[in-house]
Amino acid sequence: MKKHAHPKAPISWEVTPRSNKEKGKSHELRNLIVIISLSVLPYSSCLFGDFVFDDAESIVNNPIVNGKDSLIQIFSRDFWGHPIASPHSHKSYRPVTTFTFWLNYQIHGTSTFGYHTFNIICHGIATVLFYKLARELEKKFNIFEIAFPATVLFAVHPVHTEAVANMTGRAELLMTTFSMLALISYLKDPEMNWKFICFVVLSTFCKEQGIMTIPIAICITMIAGTWSKSKILQLALLFSAVGLLRFSINGFQSAKFTKLDNPAAFLDSRFYRVVNYSYIWLYHIYLLVVPTNLCFDYSMGCISPISSLYDLRVLSPVLISILAIIGVTFRNECRILTFGGLMGALAFLPSSNIFFTVGFSVAERILYLPSAGFCLMCAVVLKKMSSHCKNADLIALTILLLSISKTYKRSGEWNSELSLYSSGLQVCPMNAKIHYNMGKVLGDNGLTKDAVKNYWNAIKLDPSYEQALNNLGNLLEKSGDSKTAESLLARAVTLRPNFAVAWMNLGISQMNLKKYQDAEKSLKNSLALRPRSAHCLFNLGVLYQRTNRELLAMSAWRNATRVDPSHTQSWTNLFVVLDHLNQCSEVLQLSPEALSSVPNESRVHMQIGSCFAKQNDFGKAEQHILTAIDLHPTSALYHANLGVLFQRMERLAEAETEYRVALMIDSENIIAKKNLRKLENHYFHNSTGP
């Protein structure tokens, strides 16, 4: 008689209560410990990472965050610190997120450990809240053993690394945290309440995507079959009110982006725009399913636009339609699966280019909230697989370990711009922007040859990349290749006539090529575009000095110090020329203003000391020259000048000492050699006598 094989019981990915409530609480606590550990530990590799990519603009250089502007202005500035009413504003209004950056800056300054710790804690909180939400959804849709596996995947999904490891990604974390709180509140009390409204508003003011919490709540009501016209109307009115409030803050204007930001949005053909949008949507889904090749920037050649019917990607709208038809057809088969799909789609909707153009083509960070729906769907699939596949648990464990490994490795790549951009080139070698960023980082680190190579690569990939043309031209100018620099910079201003910095750099190259008339024209073009550029005023002053127009030079440098009182080069050059023209009284008159702005600039102290010496005020002269030496002890010139001062004061032994120190630093220092020889001759004559 044959023995009947008993069907294998479905694999349970969460610890369930066996006997009583006390054991159930113990297992729930164990689940939470596992979830928190998985949401925190894989990100430990980024804890000491630098400010990278967008962090400089959103945190370091943000005048609200760094305290240069009043905190109260947080309500009138965009996420990057620019006035929200400005036509040049990004229109991303996220005061709650910016406030947390401000708090971090007050406590940690520019030490990044605190910022990263805050982000990782936020991810841990969002993960725990997602678990609570999934638990409530289990009760709502009467399907269990979904919450734990869904949350485990959410905790370790590699696509989240940009949101967690990148400090600027905090907007996603906070927005999702408040969105989860709002949805949990709504599930516990489906009636409209102030708690739900407050969480929605906070989520929206962390990042605009948070407003989609309301449509997601509507989906819960519709799928659960507990909807009524009044409830839907209330939620719709709330959505309209929050949306109107948010849009009014923008002055009812949207941000203006360029072809470089989002190439698909600027295609002439509406058909190909739809095709490209469809492919981009599919690519985001692909990143959720196969998060192996991740990149911080997918613009400028990473994803080539679809512009031919022979490109297989042209079938993207068909595939999107098939997925939509399947979803509609089987919407009643598993309600939580349907909800997961709708949650992901609705959360992604603001980034879809359907309602307004966004400033990117593909971005991993915007998948943080949509991935919650994806994780719910994966948990349902795992539950179904467990009933039919004996290796379902092994497959799930393998995916978990691979995800942990990938997340740990990827979060470590966000530690520095060099490692981030290097990883980006491995994924998107045809991305001109990544080559540009690599060139910038390498140039800042003094690796000029490597920087030049990357800038040339960027220009080869995109010959109209005016920023790369400008930076390469500037780098070549510093290397002494003024002729090539002039050619590149001329191309940059031709491509973008309002590129003020490129006009200034072009003027510098032309000045070094002794094309003084062209240089003056270029520098004045730059000033017409940016009249308050201290650096451009300084260079115009240098041009005037080289062409023997010293009064104009002094006027330009004085204007530079008015625009930027801390512009040390302008103060120094101004004082040098005034000294040369025997106008030391003017130097001493301006010295209090200069020292209040640049108290630790050795060249300023040296020049002021020189002028005091010329007016025979040796005490003050000595004080300023000694200060200059304290600030720059390895300057042979400063020691030689102090020797001259001591010699004038007849402190000959001290003068000799300073001359010898100067010659130890620079054996060819003419002042020290000449005056030391005079001293030695003086000693010789005194010793031989008449």
Side-chain angles (χ1 to χ4, degrees):
M1 187 173 178
K2 288 185 178 180
K3 292 184 179 179
H4 294 283
H6 295 285
K8 190 176 179 181
I11 299 297
S12 171
W13 270 77
E14 69 180 298
V15 186
T16 54
R18 293 183 181 177
S19 57
N20 52 45
K21 288 184 178 180
E22 187 176 329
K23 185 173 286 188
K25 288 181 180 179
S26 173
H27 290 179
E28 191 76 359
L29 179 61
R30 199 177 307 168
N31 285 349
L32 287 172
I33 292 172
V34 171
I35 288 166
I36 293 170
S37 300
L38 289 175
S39 65
V40 170
L41 295 178
Y43 290 98
S44 59
S45 58
C46 74
L47 271 171
F48 297 95
D50 301 333
F51 291 108
V52 297
F53 199 37
D54 289 334
D55 294 338
E57 294 303 312
S58 64
I59 301 171
V60 181
N61 299 327
N62 189 323
I64 301 294
V65 175
N66 62 30
K68 289 183 179 179
D69 289 342
S70 170
L71 180 61
I72 196 67
Q73 294 189 51
I74 198 172
F75 298 107
S76 60
R77 301 290 182 91
D78 65 17
F79 186 54
W80 313 101
H82 307 301
I84 193 76
S86 168
H88 305 294
S89 170
H90 195 272
K91 304 299 181 186
S92 47
Y93 184 74
R94 303 163 191 173
V96 176
T97 305
T98 303
F99 178 70
T100 66
F101 288 148
W102 179 85
L103 283 176
N104 265 131
Y105 200 92
Q106 300 305 305
I107 300 169
H108 306 105
T110 55
S111 173
T112 59
F113 179 81
Y115 296 85
H116 283 299
T117 302
F118 191 104
N119 271 29
I120 294 170
I121 290 172
C122 275
H123 176 57
I125 293 171
T127 304
V128 170
L129 290 172
F130 176 56
Y131 179 66
K132 297 294 185 184
L133 174 65
R135 277 293 200 200
E136 294 297 324
L137 290 170
E138 284 182 339
K139 300 173 189 174
K140 192 77 172 177
F141 298 123
N142 197 29
I143 180 170
F144 298 95
E145 299 182 354
I146 296 297
F148 186 69
T151 309
V152 165
L153 180 58
F154 185 85
V156 301
H157 201 300
V159 85
H160 293 163
T161 48
E162 182 174 359
V164 182
N166 178 21
M167 285 169 265
T168 304
R170 185 180 299 177
E172 314 290 338
L173 307 175
L174 292 171
M175 175 268 293
T176 300
T177 296
F178 286 116
S179 180
M180 295 293 176
L181 286 167
L183 292 172
I184 292 168
S185 170
Y186 183 76
L187 281 165
K188 290 183 175 180
D189 181 10
E191 299 301 321
M192 187 68 68
N193 60 79
W194 285 105
K195 189 184 292 186
F196 174 75
I197 294 171
C198 287
F199 286 143
V200 166
V201 171
L202 286 169
S203 180
T204 305
F205 286 161
C206 289
K207 193 186 175 186
E208 299 76 9
Q209 211 172 347
I211 196 173
M212 299 311 292
T213 305
I214 302 170
I216 293 170
I218 293 175
C219 277
I220 293 174
T221 302
M222 299 286 285
I223 295 171
T226 58
W227 66 280
S228 65
K229 288 184 179 180
S230 61
K231 187 180 293 185
I232 299 298
L233 181 61
Q234 286 179 339
L235 289 169
L237 287 173
L238 177 62
F239 181 81
S240 300
V242 176
L244 188 64
L245 171 63
R246 179 62 189 81
F247 204 44
S248 68
I249 291 170
N250 283 6
F252 298 98
Q253 295 177 338
S254 58
K256 299 294 186 291
F257 297 107
T258 66
K259 185 179 180 180
L260 296 179
D261 301 311
N262 187 353
F266 291 87
L267 293 171
D268 295 330
S269 168
R270 181 176 297 179
F271 170 76
Y272 281 114
R273 281 204 302 273
V274 171
V275 168
N276 278 271
Y277 289 159
S278 300
Y279 177 73
I280 288 169
W281 302 341
L282 288 174
Y283 198 91
H284 280 97
I285 295 172
Y286 170 78
L287 288 175
L288 286 172
V289 179
V290 190
T292 51
N293 294 321
L294 301 176
C295 186
F296 71 96
D297 190 296
Y298 291 84
S299 64
M300 298 187 69
C302 192
I303 298 176
S304 57
I306 304 165
S307 56
S308 169
L309 293 175
Y310 295 101
D311 190 329
L312 284 177
R313 296 177 298 165
V314 80
L315 298 174
S316 297
V318 177
L319 187 53
I320 289 285
S321 300
I322 291 171
L323 291 174
I325 291 168
I326 291 172
V328 172
T329 304
F330 297 98
R331 66 186 183 280
N332 295 322
E333 294 296 318
C334 180
R335 292 185 299 170
I336 198 166
L337 186 68
T338 302
F339 171 74
L342 286 172
M343 181 183 184
L346 287 170
F348 178 76
L349 200 58
S351 306
S352 66
N353 286 292
I354 291 177
F355 299 108
F356 46 82
T357 301
V358 296
F360 55 86
S361 53
V362 174
E364 294 158 19
R365 63 185 178 276
I366 57 97
L367 291 173
Y368 191 77
L369 179 57
S371 69
F374 172 77
C375 292
L376 286 172
M377 296 175 73
C378 289
V380 174
V381 171
L382 176 62
K383 183 177 174 66
K384 299 290 184 184
M385 280 180 60
S386 299
S387 303
H388 305 286
C389 177
K390 62 180 181 179
N391 293 322
D393 54 342
L394 182 61
I395 293 170
L397 181 61
T398 303
I399 292 172
L400 173 63
L401 293 175
L402 288 173
S403 296
I404 292 171
S405 174
K406 177 64 178 178
T407 298
Y408 183 83
K409 179 178 180 293
R410 180 59 182 162
S411 63
E413 290 172 349
W414 280 89
N415 273 334
S416 70
E417 291 193 324
L418 190 60
S419 61
L420 180 65
Y421 300 155
S422 298
S423 69
L425 284 178
Q426 292 176 11
V427 178
C428 295
M430 303 302 289
N431 188 324
K433 189 174 181 181
I434 300 180
H435 284 285
Y436 166 82
N437 285 329
M438 274 292 286
K440 194 170 183 299
V441 170
L442 292 168
D444 291 342
N445 289 329
L447 302 171
T448 304
K449 288 185 178 179
D450 293 329
V452 168
K453 180 181 176 182
N454 276 276
Y455 281 134
W456 277 122
N457 286 338
I459 292 167
K460 286 174 185 176
L461 290 168
D462 185 358
S464 63
Y465 200 169
E466 70 272 5
Q467 288 175 311
L469 289 165
N470 173 69
N471 283 23
L472 178 57
N474 194 30
L475 203 59
L476 291 174
E477 175 58 47
K478 291 177 181 177
S479 302
D481 189 356
S482 298
K483 190 172 182 180
T484 307
E486 182 193 20
S487 174
L488 292 167
L489 292 163
R491 281 172 59 188
V493 297
T494 301
L495 289 165
R496 186 172 142 199
N498 64 345
F499 198 170
V501 174
W503 276 114
M504 181 186 72
N505 290 333
L506 177 59
I508 294 170
S509 293
Q510 290 167 333
M511 178 168 50
N512 291 333
L513 291 169
K514 298 184 178 179
K515 297 180 178 180
Y516 295 128
Q517 288 185 344
D518 292 337
E520 185 172 354
K521 181 180 177 181
S522 296
L523 290 170
K524 285 183 175 178
N525 282 342
S526 179
L527 282 172
L529 294 165
R530 286 198 315 170
R532 294 186 60 79
S533 171
H535 198 49
C536 191
L537 285 165
F538 166 77
N539 284 299
L540 184 61
V542 172
L543 173 66
Y544 287 144
Q545 185 186 31
R546 289 190 186 182
T547 52
N548 299 315
R549 291 178 283 177
E550 291 180 324
L551 291 177
L552 287 174
M554 289 191 295
S555 176
W557 292 327
R558 184 66 181 113
N559 286 335
T561 62
R562 291 189 181 102
V563 170
D564 179 9
S566 64
H567 201 276
T568 57
Q569 291 175 300
S570 294
W571 282 117
T572 303
N573 282 21
L574 176 61
F575 286 177
V576 167
V577 173
L578 285 170
D579 186 358
H580 176 70
L581 295 175
N582 294 317
Q583 296 183 28
C584 273
S585 58
E586 182 73 15
V587 172
L588 300 180
Q589 186 178 343
L590 289 171
S591 62
E593 181 184 347
L595 291 175
S596 67
S597 301
V598 286
N600 297 317
E601 177 50 51
S602 63
R603 292 172 296 177
V604 172
H605 279 285
M606 185 67 246
Q607 205 56 49
I608 294 171
S610 175
C611 281
F612 273 122
K614 286 185 177 182
Q615 294 199 344
N616 296 321
D617 192 339
F618 297 143
K620 289 183 179 178
E622 180 181 358
Q623 177 186 341
H624 282 284
I625 295 175
L626 285 172
T627 302
I629 290 173
D630 287 341
L631 293 167
H632 189 9
T634 59
S635 171
L637 177 63
Y638 294 175
H639 285 283
N641 284 347
L642 183 58
V644 171
L645 178 66
F646 285 152
Q647 194 169 350
R648 290 182 64 188
M649 298 169 70
E650 298 185 356
R651 292 158 60 178
L652 301 184
E654 291 172 275
E656 180 183 357
T657 301
E658 292 302 322
Y659 291 144
R660 294 193 183 282
V661 171
L663 289 171
M664 286 176 63
I665 297 170
D666 178 9
S667 60
E668 300 301 319
N669 186 277
I670 297 173
I671 298 173
K673 287 173 74 172
K674 180 180 176 181
N675 287 300
L676 183 60
R677 193 177 299 116
K678 286 182 179 180
L679 277 180
E680 289 172 344
N681 289 336
H682 173 76
Y683 290 148
F684 177 77
H685 289 304
N686 286 345
S687 62
T688 55

